[in-house]
Every structure is written in C-alpha cells, then in structure tokens.
Amino acid sequence: KYVYFHSQRHGYCTLGEAFNRLDFSSAIQDIRRFNYVVKLLQLIAKSQLTSLSGAAQKNYFNILDQIVQKVMEDQYNPRLIKDLLQDLSSTLCILIQGVGKSVLVGNINIWICRLETILLWQQQLKNLQMNKQVNTGLTLSDLPLHMLNNILHRFSDGWDIITLGQVTPALYMLSEDRQLWKKLCQYHFAEKQFCRHLILSEKGHIDWKLMYFALQKYYPIKEQYGDTLHFCRHCSILFWKDAGHPCTASDPNTCLMPVSPQHFIDLFKF
C-alpha cells in the first residue's frame, strides 16, 4: 500500500485519504511500525483533527480503538498511549466547548460520545495491571552487570531508563550513572543547548539526568522507529520502507527519503 503524489503539485490527495490508503490498521500489528503510527496519531490529535474528513475521522478512531485494545492485551508501551489520549482529550474538550459544530465534522453528540470513550480508555489504562511472568529460566537479573549496562546504553528514552532502573537495585545503580545520561543528552541535543540550560549538582558537577528532562521541555528529541514511511523522489510515492514499491529508477536507493511523523503531516500542508 502506498500513496502517489503528482509531480506538478506536492500532493493531490488529502491527509485523511493518505491515512486511509496506507492501512495503519495493519501497521499497528507490526511492532516495528507501532510507535510510528502512535506518534502520527498524536500529532494529528494536536493540530490536524479538524482537517480530516468524516470517513477519515471514523478511521482514525477505529485505529485508536485497535491500539488501545492491543495495549490492554499485550501491555506494550502503555505510557506512549496515555500521552496520545491525553493530547486527544485536551483537543476535543477545547473544540467541543469552544467552537463545537463550526469545525467538527458530524453531529456534536458523536464527538461527545467519542470524548467519553477516550475518558473510559484512560481509566482502563490507569487500572492496567501488568501480567506477572512465570520464571522459566534465565531472567534479566541473572545477566552480568556489563550486559545490563549495555542494555541501558541502547535506550534512547530517559523514561525507559528510569522504568528499567526500578526493577532491581543493580539496575537502579546503573540507571543513575552520570555517563549514561551524558551520552543520552549528547545523542539528542546540541552542545549550545547544554549551555543555555546548565544544571549543576551540589558538588558542582553537571547533573546530566536533570539536564535531559529539562532540555526535553525546550527541544525535540531524536525519534527512532523500527520501520518508517519513505518517499521516493523518482516515482513520487509514499510507502513503508520494508514493504517497498515498484520503483522504475535505475538505482532506487538513491531516491529514498525517510519521512518522520511530522514530515508526513507537513506533506499535506499545501
């Protein structure tokens, strides 16, 4: 599944049409694409919800329902979904109370029901209990410290580091390492940004952990996804990289351009 862009106009289809044609319902079943789709839904919730057609809005909430049910069943990344639902509920509250029918497609009562459903999902996720795994062999706690440290150094999200650090005392000790947080800051942010928001500890050292969360409030962090949408400049086609497309270029790889969730939104601002 892919979306074609006319060469004389940056995009002939709407955001909603592209959203439908790229089959995000199937994409969320692929763990490599799951976070990408959730981030895209979050960006749409923040600023593009009213630009979707009635059919696209229905599809949006159907996919969101599938995401919530998947998280409830698999307990996969509930924090990410909680953030999405929070942004979506805030947007809907403003739209329903402030402008209502003037910008929302469809009956206002439908939107009120959707908001109530979102609030129900939020409560369900709040009450979500993680399944306790039966110990059938080697566990994370059995790994040597250097391997646990290597795992922590491969995380790109500070909250994931903190969460893993709560598992055992050894992981907590490793998760508090200054060098770990320094490398995380250096990965996501530029040196000139450090200087603008310098935070020192009581001993006069840079507190890299606090720096990371402070910088995160002011600057976007780098995003990592297992599989992303790509744009082929030769064929003017938007597609999932791992799925490919029938490219006619002599060297297709030179024509590919990765498309972040924000870039995807920007493609339809014409």
Side-chain angles (χ1 to χ4, degrees):
K1 303 252 174 139
Y2 49 82
V3 174
Y4 174 73
F5 286 81
H6 194 279
S7 59
Q8 299 302 317
R9 190 181 179 188
H10 202 44
Y12 78 90
C13 64
T14 65
L15 172 63
E17 289 169 337
F19 191 82
N20 292 343
R21 292 176 60 186
L22 286 166
D23 193 12
F24 289 112
S25 291
S26 298
I28 61 173
Q29 304 305 321
D30 188 331
I31 194 170
R32 299 167 303 165
R33 301 174 181 175
F34 183 85
N35 287 7
Y36 186 100
V37 177
V38 172
K39 180 63 176 180
L40 180 57
L41 263 64
Q42 187 173 17
L43 291 174
I44 291 175
K46 286 182 176 181
S47 63
Q48 300 297 316
L49 196 61
T50 57
S51 70
L52 300 181
S53 67
Q57 288 174 351
K58 184 177 180 180
N59 187 33
Y60 178 98
F61 282 95
N62 285 339
I63 294 172
L64 184 56
D65 184 19
Q66 295 173 43
I67 288 175
V68 172
Q69 299 314 314
K70 180 176 177 63
V71 173
M72 295 297 294
E73 293 173 6
D74 301 342
Q75 291 90 42
Y76 179 74
N77 211 341
R79 177 171 55 83
L80 191 66
I81 315 307
K82 289 178 182 178
D83 290 343
L84 163 59
L85 293 178
Q86 182 58 49
D87 287 336
L88 183 56
S89 62
S90 298
T91 298
L92 284 185
C93 284
I94 293 172
L95 292 176
I96 291 173
Q97 295 175 5
V99 290
K101 297 180 181 178
S102 62
V103 295
L104 293 172
V105 177
N107 191 299
I108 193 67
N109 292 324
I110 294 177
W111 287 99
I112 294 174
C113 289
R114 285 172 174 169
L115 180 57
E116 291 175 348
T117 300
I118 292 169
L119 297 176
L120 175 62
W121 286 336
Q122 288 178 309
Q123 189 61 45
Q124 289 175 339
L125 289 172
K126 184 179 180 180
N127 298 331
L128 179 64
Q129 298 293 323
M130 296 297 182
N131 295 332
K132 191 171 183 179
Q133 300 294 324
V134 178
N135 185 5
T136 57
L138 187 68
T139 67
L140 195 63
S141 303
D142 297 322
L143 297 176
L145 288 179
H146 75 275
M147 292 186 68
L148 294 174
N149 195 45
N150 285 338
I151 292 173
L152 284 167
H153 275 269
R154 280 165 172 73
F155 283 8
S156 62
D157 189 304
W159 284 111
D160 289 338
I161 292 175
I162 288 177
T163 301
L164 187 59
Q166 295 172 346
V167 175
T168 66
L171 281 168
Y172 176 76
M173 176 194 69
L174 294 173
S175 70
E176 290 294 306
D177 180 59
R178 289 183 67 247
Q179 290 301 314
L180 171 65
W181 290 97
K182 179 179 180 180
K183 289 184 178 180
L184 192 64
C185 286
Q186 291 173 332
Y187 173 74
H188 286 291
F189 310 107
E191 186 174 345
K192 62 181 180 181
Q193 295 170 335
F194 299 161
C195 300
R196 294 173 186 167
H197 305 278
L198 201 61
I199 300 177
L200 300 179
S201 66
E202 294 180 358
K203 296 181 179 180
H205 301 299
I206 296 176
D207 192 323
W208 291 104
K209 181 179 177 181
L210 290 180
M211 283 275 290
Y212 169 81
F213 290 104
L215 290 166
Q216 195 179 42
K217 295 178 181 178
Y218 296 99
Y219 310 105
I221 63 174
K222 291 183 179 178
E223 299 175 13
Q224 288 185 332
Y225 304 103
D227 186 18
T228 66
L229 289 173
H230 275 62
F231 182 72
C232 177
R233 291 185 291 266
H234 178 77
C235 304
S236 297
I237 285 179
L238 186 67
F239 63 99
W240 288 105
K241 184 182 179 183
D242 283 3
H245 79 286
C247 187
T248 59
S250 57
D251 188 359
N253 290 332
T254 62
C255 306
L256 300 185
M257 178 179 68
V259 177
S260 69
Q262 183 60 60
H263 188 192
F264 178 88
I265 299 291
D266 294 340
L267 284 172
F268 300 92
K269 293 180 179 178
F270 53 80

